[in-house]
Amino acid sequence: MQPSSNAPEERHGPLAGLRVVEVSAFVAAPLASMTLAQLGAEVIRIDPLGGSIDYHRWPETEHGESLYWASLNKGKRSVTLPLDTPEGQRAAADIICADGDGAGILITNLPARGWLDYEQLSARRPDLIMMRLLGNHDGSPAVDYSVNCASGFPHATGTGPEPVNHVLPSWDVAAGLYLTVGLLAAERRRQETGHGQEVTLALSDAMLATVGNLGYLADVQINGASREPGGNSLYGAFGRDFSTADARSVMVVAITTRQFRALGRATGLTEKLEMTGPLMDVDLTTEGGRYAARHAIAAVLEPWFAARTLAEVRAVFHGSGVLWGPYQTFRQLVEEDPRCSTQNPLFSWVDQPGIGILLAPGSPLVFSGDPTPAAAPAPRLGADTDTLHSPVPQPVSG
């Protein structure tokens, strides 16, 4: 299969005609704008000369090209300007406030002062939409790692009293997707009224909203309970990891009674599994009952998995209705999982400048009436500077 040649200038998809400018770094804001680009919006990322603070973030190639940066900036256009000079700042403001019905939209996680001040920019373009990511609601700084430690989840992760961080920047991801929803809501309001607005989102509020929406804040207030760590057991239902004969691990989940019965049929252990209910004096037709009996259920299942390889488990569970999945390293995900391949329409081959040919994901959203574009490579840093704005004179030293 040939790498995608879908140039960033050729916009297709449900958001074609929308023009978004991004002045940001790290995960949340770049993810938000890339999500829009993958749906057809024209996204222009503006960086200082030489790249922003995330331009060389790991992982990177042996030649120092950031795979992180390339992966979070797919399908965008890139402009570099001397943003520490008045000339560079004016040039950036020109791009942000450019004419056009779908233009005048900015995403940033930088301090909104000086040339990035909403009042200054909206004075030039009154219908400007500015999406601004904060750390905390009071404007104080925060990053995913400083937010996650306060969320309660590290104390509910692992098996003991010591908090355990996870490596997924979940609050950055959640905040990035919140930003896209907020932007589309503000753009719809602008279409209706002709008015723009500044929309702010605090990273810590994305965390707090999630903890509250999952019921954990209410659990403390109403029940006086704070969720304890349970290892790899699924909280409130049955689910756990099991080791196979070839030293692989699998996760098995049975949230509903139907799923629990499918697990019994597939393994041939229905009768033994049903015995755990009376043994533990619980009702196995309820999620709470299966959770209370989780250790007894696992004791019945452990020898079955230990006697079979991953391939044998896969063969037995195929088409059985059992919810399960293998634990995989990133390498195993790439090399073994057919979902991470061009068998899945999510992926296509792209020729990434400076790096090479990569299998890259596009948007995971599938529209029946307006197909989303294939994945496109990230631009070379500054590749669109001359096209989108006249070169800014560089300061003379000496």
Side-chain angles (χ1 to χ4, degrees), residues 17-252:
L18 204 66
R19 190 190 210 207
V20 178
V21 178
E22 172 199 339
V23 184
S24 74
F26 296 127
V27 178
L31 174 65
S33 62
M34 185 182 70
T35 299
L36 299 167
Q38 290 178 326
L39 294 176
E42 178 188 14
V43 174
I44 303 164
R45 173 165 174 157
I46 300 178
D47 285 300
L49 300 178
S52 192
I53 52 178
D54 62 344
Y55 184 55
H56 291 290
R57 203 172 190 209
W58 287 10
E60 61 182 10
T61 69
E62 61 180 328
H63 304 296
E65 296 283 349
S66 173
L67 298 169
Y68 162 93
W69 194 92
S71 298
L72 267 178
N73 290 286
K74 296 189 295 290
K76 301 179 186 179
R77 306 180 75 180
S78 174
V79 171
T80 54
L81 297 167
L83 295 178
D84 56 347
T85 69
E87 295 81 9
Q89 294 165 6
R90 282 195 296 270
D94 288 343
I95 297 173
I96 294 167
C97 299
D99 294 334
D101 291 340
I105 302 174
L106 170 66
I107 296 177
T108 187
N109 63 348
L110 302 185
R113 55 176 179 259
W115 67 279
L116 267 179
D117 177 68
Y118 173 72
E119 299 300 328
Q120 286 195 32
L121 291 171
S122 62
R124 293 188 55 181
R125 177 155 183 162
D127 67 346
L128 176 75
I129 295 171
M130 181 172 179
M131 304 299 303
R132 187 157 67 93
L133 181 66
L134 311 174
N136 296 299
H137 74 276
D138 61 2
S140 58
V143 295
D144 186 284
Y145 309 100
S146 65
V147 166
N148 184 60
C149 64
S151 70
F153 284 107
H155 276 288
T157 302
T159 58
E162 296 298 323
V164 178
N165 285 336
H166 54 73
V167 298
L168 171 68
S170 53
W171 310 121
D172 278 338
V173 173
L177 298 179
Y178 267 120
L179 286 172
T180 63
V181 173
L183 186 152
L184 294 174
E187 209 272 329
R188 183 173 187 232
R189 179 57 56 87
R190 185 172 73 174
Q191 289 183 14
E192 295 173 344
T193 66
H195 300 303
Q197 58 185 304
E198 180 184 26
V199 182
T200 60
L201 168 69
L203 183 66
S204 61
D205 282 350
M207 175 272 287
L208 291 166
T210 302
V211 178
N213 293 340
L214 293 175
Y216 295 125
L217 299 183
D219 196 23
V220 173
Q221 297 171 78
I222 301 301
N223 299 325
S226 183
R227 179 177 165 182
E228 298 296 325
N232 288 334
S233 291
L234 174 65
Y235 179 68
F238 180 75
R240 221 204 69 173
D241 60 314
F242 293 94
S243 297
T244 65
D246 52 349
R248 294 292 297 270
S249 295
V250 299
M251 183 70 186
V252 178

Side-chain angles (χ1 to χ4, degrees), residues 328-343:
Q328 299 178 148
T329 65
F330 294 129
R331 179 183 296 278
Q332 289 166 337
L333 174 64
V334 172
E335 296 179 350
E336 299 178 9
D337 197 323
R339 295 171 297 183
C340 188
S341 72
T342 53
Q343 294 180 40

